Amino acid sequence: MNQIGRQTVRWLGFGVSGSLTKTLAHFFPSSGNVTAPYPAQCKLSVFAESIGTKSVLLDGARFSQPDGVRLDVAFPALEQEKVALAGIIVELVSSQPRIDISHSACVIEFSSKGHASKYRPLKLGNEPSSGSVPAIMDAYTVTSLVVVNGTEKPISVPLGFIDWKERREPRIISIQSEDIPPLGVRDIELNEGVFADCAPLESSHGLVRIAPLVLRSSLPEGAACYVIHRDALTRRPVSIFSLESGEKSEPEKIQEEAGRSGGL
Amino acid sequence: MQGSQAQTLETKVLHLWVGSFPFIDSFLIISPDPGCESPSSVSVRCFDPDGAFANEFSINIEPGAPGLIEIEPLLGSIKLEGGMKHAHLEIECPIGVQVLTRLVSREGAVLLGEPSVIDEHRSAFFPVQVLNEHSSMLCIVNAGDETSNLKCRLFLGSRTPDISLSIPARGSRIISLEAEFSEYLQAERGKIQQVYTRLGTRGGAPLTVQLFECFVGASGGDLFSAVS
């Protein structure tokens, strides 16, 4: 998964498959200021331990025109093999040699009866973004994690949370989890111990416990970790964020530069 | 969120949309920089939907300590626009600090990440499913000091209607897709209609945008979903 250039962009995410929830992959080939509808190629891949990696090439993608596909339609094997969680790789390739496609975008959607949730999957090849993502526990929200290993080797997940009980001396406490096998995708429940030492914060909607999650070291290229905030009652995902570790991402650099110049 | 001597760190500026009365309450969740061992400062300036300065405040956060700030008391007497009290928050914070918006209703809550940025080089897209008892809002913020003209195009099969909207400097707007494109978006019971929106601007200040969707929950309240 290393060949990332201006003519190719790739995202790594995950999808769920089942009778109640369908996953859709939406993509938007874009070159920024070029509005001509040049053709683009979209290669969609899914992977899981039980099915290996499967790919399809989607016809008809064009610059500046959003499009999408249902995963169960593109990959009937997901339902036949009863794959509950699968990794997804969306790859867009520009057939125009001088056109930069790096402004393209991708959204993964989970659609169920009467509800839909969406997230932007991790863009591969970008500098990872540093920082923490809050795990939340209150009357509305519970938090879990999904780890996606699209590599050919098992990975351990360097998960931790910032313990701020000792004020002025924050420590990162490791969260133990099993190794993720090659092509494995795992849903990891956060046990209540993570929140045990979090002082509850008061709000008009009740007490909220927040544990800032971090990766103690970077995951290998081709692996990703997502923080899932779920509705406490229905367990439906309502917001999903990728957890990264390392240097600043390109969007952060852009915002930072624009911020200095008085814009963004 | 106490502390006295905030360390001077490399900062970033965020432009977030927050909503309030009558549907939701907004909170800021501040997630700390894991590598920072000294207090850091987060400053917030609040602008009403027409871009008029409304309020400002700053807080020092302890290293490692998350923060939760309720926005409604800080919006003061900001007027309603589009049937809703909403505002633009300009937030300056250290680069490693994450500031996210949490929207809460009687029946659910959702966290919004950093918004998508639109300028003359970048456009944004959002997939939307049109179904009964559902509403979709695009929450737009003008990050700059000049008016910006937004073009929102709907992709519905072979039809591509569009609308244009002027976003005042530092201001914010909400676009209800069902209202703006009512001629095209007619939800039929039991049927789901897949559409896309593409947002761009020609010149003017950069904009930030988020999609906020509202579904009817099991007991009749609002359930949310959002993507940036």
Side-chain angles (χ1 to χ4, degrees), chain B residues 135-156:
Chain B
S135 58
S136 313
M137 288 192 306
L138 291 166
C139 308
I140 321 278
V141 159
N142 184 335
D145 291 327
E146 55 182 317
T147 299
S148 194
N149 294 308
L150 174 79
K151 190 169 191 177
C152 174
R153 184 178 292 278
L154 188 74
F155 289 79
L156 170 63

Side-chain angles (χ1 to χ4, degrees), chain A residues 94-145:
Chain A
S94 163
S95 52
Q96 303 294 315
R98 289 201 179 91
I99 293 183
D100 182 350
I101 201 172
S102 60
H103 286 109
S104 301
C106 179
V107 170
I108 306 291
E109 174 173 358
F110 302 138
S111 175
S112 57
K113 189 179 180 187
H115 191 262
S117 51
K118 306 178 177 79
Y119 72 97
R120 294 201 184 264
L122 177 68
K123 197 172 189 177
L124 296 174
N126 266 11
E127 289 293 333
S129 166
S130 61
S132 57
V133 173
I136 300 172
M137 188 174 77
D138 68 357
Y140 299 102
T141 304
V142 293
T143 304
S144 67
L145 299 153

Side-chain angles (χ1 to χ4, degrees), chain A residues 14-24 70-73 75-86 88 109-113:
Chain A
F14 70 98
V16 294
S17 179
S19 56
L20 297 178
T21 305
K22 305 294 179 194
T23 300
L24 298 94
R70 260 174 59 175
L71 241 58
D72 60 332
V73 173
F75 301 101
L78 289 175
E79 292 205 343
Q80 289 161 5
E81 301 292 328
K82 301 195 185 314
V83 179
L85 270 176
I88 302 174
E109 174 173 358
F110 302 138
S111 175
S112 57
K113 189 179 180 187

Side-chain angles (χ1 to χ4, degrees), chain A residues 24-28 30-33 35 63-69 103-107 109 111-120 129-141 162-164 166-170 172 201-206 208 210-214 229 231 233-234 236-241 248 251-252 254-256 259-260 262-264, chain B residues 1-4 10-15 25 27 29-34 36-37 39 62-68 70 90 95-96 98 100 102 104-129 131 133 143-145 155 170 192 194 196-198 202 206-208 211 213 215-216 218 223-228:
Chain A
L24 298 94
H26 305 283
F27 48 88
F28 178 52
S30 175
S31 58
N33 49 9
T35 54
F63 277 54
S64 299
Q65 295 182 5
D67 207 343
V69 65
H103 286 109
S104 301
C106 179
V107 170
E109 174 173 358
S111 175
S112 57
K113 189 179 180 187
H115 191 262
S117 51
K118 306 178 177 79
Y119 72 97
R120 294 201 184 264
S129 166
S130 61
S132 57
V133 173
I136 300 172
M137 188 174 77
D138 68 357
Y140 299 102
T141 304
I162 304 176
D163 176 34
W164 54 290
E166 304 292 331
R167 295 211 165 206
R168 298 189 180 279
E169 286 185 23
I172 295 179
L201 302 170
E202 285 186 26
S203 83
S204 57
H205 290 268
V208 185
I210 300 173
L213 296 172
V214 294
H229 298 116
D231 181 76
L233 189 63
T234 64
R236 283 172 169 155
V238 289
S239 41
I240 301 170
F241 296 92
K248 286 173 284 184
E252 278 183 330
I254 291 167
Q255 288 233 343
E256 180 191 342
R260 282 198 195 113
L264 278 175
Chain B
M1 281 185 292
Q2 297 152 4
S4 49
E10 218 176 347
T11 60
K12 62 182 175 184
V13 179
L14 302 171
H15 297 272
D25 290 325
F27 297 82
I29 289 185
I30 301 171
S31 199
D33 180 352
C36 183
E37 295 183 346
E62 289 287 337
L68 181 71
E70 192 155 0
E90 183 186 83
I95 282 175
Q98 302 282 350
L100 306 167
R102 191 179 196 219
V104 183
S105 77
R106 190 167 53 89
E107 201 170 328
V110 68
L111 205 60
L112 279 70
E114 289 189 17
S116 296
V117 178
I118 309 169
D119 58 24
E120 55 189 320
H121 302 297
R122 287 173 287 185
S123 43
F125 96 106
F126 293 95
V128 178
Q129 288 193 352
L131 61 162
E133 298 176 326
D145 291 327
F155 289 79
R170 304 280 170 194
I192 297 174
Q194 178 69 59
Y196 294 94
T197 56
R198 186 183 74 198
R202 286 188 180 166
L207 302 171
T208 67
L211 173 69
E213 295 178 275
F215 303 84
V216 176
L223 274 180
F224 299 143
S225 171
V227 67
S228 296

